[in-house]
Amino acid sequence: MSLVFSDTTLKNGIIQGIERELFGDDGDGKISGNAVRLARFTADINLALNEAWAMILTASGKWNWDDNNHGDHPIVRANLVSGQRDYAFTLDGSGNTILEFFKVFVKDTNGVYHEIDPVDVQSGNKWELGGFTDGLNAAGIPSVYDKTGNSVFLDPIPNYNSVAGLMVYVSREGHYFTVADTTRKPGFAGTFHEYLVMNPAYKYARRNSLADAESKGAEMLRIEKAMKAYYGRRAKDEPSRLSGRITPFK
């Protein structure tokens, strides 16, 4: 069952779950009806979102998770500018922070996108890095890229302009909650929305030395384990590969 942020009527929101977890059946309104507590727990829920996203992104492997609250795809574009090697990508088109780059495509002079290969200037060999380090600044259609900080560096340096000529597949932060939210849901599988109840409840119980802090922590860890296992199996459309050593008959 998926959970909305707050539902004071049906009592099936994340905030209401925390109220029951911490204050029992008499907890209605203890958070939702108190502006200071609501702000504090909203902050704790957003920190729990950070932890959930980190677990999901780590576990998802080749399947690139994206918060389903986003109204677009995790793809960003930039104009290619003749003579410009580096292109910074800090935010996507909706202002969400970009976390990682996965694939880079460059549009050639005929307007066709081609995937280009990654290299690592910090650790690569001199043959593949010559264009980045020889100072010649060779120009042409880019064929490789290096990721440094939040920027993509191209080689050769483009010698032509192209609108939206650089296309990058990324991972990015999801949507955070605000105190005014009601029906917004977390952007991951509803099976694990209870994590956003147990994580803040455990931290509150620990801070306030509640007797059941340990049991709340154990339940939180149980959900974490199940979440990692679930997202580690998401790429079911990819064939499994078996490998091993064959021992010849003697």
Side-chain angles (χ1 to χ4, degrees), residues 230-246:
Y230 173 84
Y231 279 99
R233 296 194 302 266
R234 283 303 298 268
K236 292 182 179 179
D237 56 337
E238 297 179 4
S240 298
R241 177 182 297 174
L242 297 177
S243 61
R245 183 176 62 185
I246 300 175

Side-chain angles (χ1 to χ4, degrees), residues 143-186:
S143 59
V144 296
Y145 70 96
D146 173 65
K147 297 179 291 186
T148 299
N150 289 317
S151 295
V152 170
F153 291 74
L154 303 177
D155 194 70
I157 299 171
N159 59 356
Y160 58 99
N161 296 316
S162 178
V163 175
L166 185 60
M167 179 170 64
V168 184
Y169 282 66
V170 301
S171 68
R172 54 190 174 170
E173 286 184 337
H175 280 274
Y176 292 102
F177 290 112
T178 72
V179 294
D181 276 325
T182 54
T183 59
R184 183 186 289 278
K185 297 180 180 181

